[in-house]
Amino acid sequence: HVQLVESGGGSVQAGGSLRLSCAASIETIRRPCMAWSRQAPGKEREVVASIDGDGRSTYAESVKGRFTISEDNVKKTLILDIRGLKDDDTAMYYCTAGWGHCDLQTDFIYWGQGTQVTVS
């Protein structure tokens, strides 16, 4: 059983920074692949960053160098630090988890409710 609850979204000026958090309740034997995904109006959902149990991360080309995914294992929280925000980053951001090889193409089957990021 996996529950994911995002927080930290908001309205930010272009060039600014933001930290998104995902409180993860994971009652499984194995640790799933964790990731952040986003969906902008009229666009398909895009997985932007993933992290496996050993801390290895993968990023979409569109966010490399600006997004950093990490975990606070004590607080059981997945984090996405965003800097240099652009208008194109405006989207609903989702915390997600799935099984199998951990990268941007993992079969993510658990989803949070999302948190809105608006860049103006």
Side-chain angles (χ1 to χ4, degrees), residues 1-7 20-28 31 34 36 70-79 95:
H1 182 64
V2 176
Q3 281 190 320
L4 307 169
V5 180
E6 304 93 335
S7 62
L20 305 182
S21 297
C22 171
S25 173
I26 300 175
E27 299 175 2
T28 60
R31 179 209 179 277
M34 303 294 296
W36 285 96
S70 62
E71 289 182 294
D72 182 330
N73 291 320
V74 174
K75 296 181 180 179
K76 297 183 180 179
T77 301
L78 184 70
I79 297 166
C95 178

Side-chain angles (χ1 to χ4, degrees), residues 26-91:
I26 300 175
E27 299 175 2
T28 60
I29 295 175
R30 294 183 295 121
R31 179 209 179 277
C33 174
M34 303 294 296
W36 285 96
S37 176
R38 68 183 181 185
Q39 187 166 23
K43 295 186 178 180
E44 291 187 357
R45 190 172 290 186
E46 172 191 28
V47 179
V48 295
S50 66
I51 187 167
D52 68 12
D54 294 320
R56 288 184 292 257
S57 56
T58 306
Y59 297 94
E61 286 297 323
S62 57
V63 307
K64 274 184 180 178
R66 299 189 300 118
F67 287 25
T68 302
I69 188 171
S70 62
E71 289 182 294
D72 182 330
N73 291 320
V74 174
K75 296 181 180 179
K76 297 183 180 179
T77 301
L78 184 70
I79 297 166
L80 186 68
D81 286 308
I82 307 173
R83 61 182 179 86
L85 277 158
K86 304 177 180 179
D87 291 346
D88 288 347
D89 294 323
T90 294

Side-chain angles (χ1 to χ4, degrees), residues 85-103:
L85 277 158
K86 304 177 180 179
D87 291 346
D88 288 347
D89 294 323
T90 294
M92 184 72 79
Y93 284 72
Y94 298 90
C95 178
T96 184
W99 304 108
H101 177 70
C102 190
D103 58 21

